[in-house]
Amino acid sequence: EKFRLVHLLQPRDVDAWTTAAWHMAYNAQAYYRDDDSRNPPEISQQLSEASLKRGQEILKQGIQWNPDRWVLYRDLANIYKEKAQDPCEAARYYYLGSQTPDAPSYMFRFFGYLLAQCPGKEQEAYTVLMQIYEEGKQVLQSQNFLIWKPTLIASIRDLEGKLEIPEDQRIPERLH
């Protein structure tokens, strides 16, 4: 209730949105899932799910007030990824967050990683991850600096197999 009051009085305070969402989606959800001996298991399960949804809704409201703040999108994406086990929704919010001013580059990369886990989105994910790969190749050639993460290479290789990319069109084992 106190967070609702803070949100009404200071809707642009991003920390208030992220903290309230954290308490609902992580703390309250875990409490009802694991530690609530006062309720029957089915009631605890319902309360756990309701807490998770409430955390998501808090961040969605925060995004309505602060659509240019990537942190809110990241936190919502993380809830979908870690708690709701929904990589497609997580990918969507990582993408939206990557389009905001000052968003770190990992937001777009995580969008690609999670999109690769969405059934039917393999080709789109491959295109996104190859874009990141090609940008990294340009940095390597111009600055002799490697920016790729091992997860990027592993994700591309996995998608190459799923999409049956011909061997001669796959990324090389090593760059010379």
Side-chain angles (χ1 to χ4, degrees):
E1 292 301 313
K2 290 180 181 164
F3 276 109
R4 280 190 201 157
L5 181 59
V6 170
H7 296 151
L8 286 172
L9 295 173
Q10 293 289 335
R12 305 260 185 246
D13 182 355
V14 172
D15 289 338
W17 294 105
T18 60
T19 302
W22 174 265
H23 283 303
M24 292 306 298
Y26 289 86
N27 295 339
Q29 189 268 344
Y31 169 78
Y32 289 121
R33 184 193 66 219
D34 299 334
D35 299 330
D36 187 17
S37 58
R38 295 175 297 168
N39 292 311
E42 57 276 355
I43 299 297
S44 291
Q45 178 65 27
Q46 289 174 356
L47 292 169
S48 175
E49 291 171 8
S51 296
L52 180 62
K53 287 189 186 319
R54 181 67 188 125
Q56 293 166 330
E57 289 304 315
I58 288 169
L59 286 170
K60 288 176 184 177
Q61 290 170 359
I63 288 169
Q64 287 178 350
W65 279 100
N66 304 280
D68 60 339
R69 303 297 297 273
W70 65 269
V71 172
L72 295 168
Y73 295 94
R74 181 206 56 201
D75 287 0
L76 185 54
N78 285 341
I79 290 172
Y80 278 109
K81 179 178 75 165
E82 297 165 4
K83 304 299 273 179
Q85 306 295 309
D86 188 342
C88 301
E89 277 299 293
R92 184 166 87 87
Y93 283 104
Y94 274 121
Y95 175 77
L96 292 171
S98 76
Q99 303 303 299
T100 62
D102 302 322
S105 62
Y106 76 80
M107 294 287 287
F108 190 71
R109 194 171 65 245
F110 281 22
F111 159 63
Y113 295 159
L114 287 156
L115 193 61
Q117 298 175 29
C118 297
K121 298 288 188 176
E122 294 84 3
Q123 183 61 55
E124 185 181 350
Y126 180 72
T127 301
V128 167
L129 295 177
M130 284 303 294
Q131 174 187 336
I132 296 167
Y133 179 84
E134 290 300 326
E135 289 169 3
K137 218 159 75 170
Q138 291 174 2
V139 170
L140 181 61
Q141 290 168 352
S142 67
Q143 300 175 23
N144 202 27
F145 183 74
L146 186 63
I147 64 169
W148 295 317
K149 307 298 182 205
T151 306
L152 175 67
I153 303 303
S155 296
I156 290 172
R157 290 194 190 285
D158 183 54
L159 288 169
E160 287 173 334
K162 287 178 181 176
L163 295 170
E164 299 178 356
I165 304 291
E167 287 293 328
D168 64 336
Q169 295 176 20
R170 294 182 181 203
I171 61 173
E173 192 69 31
R174 292 182 181 269
L175 290 177
H176 300 289

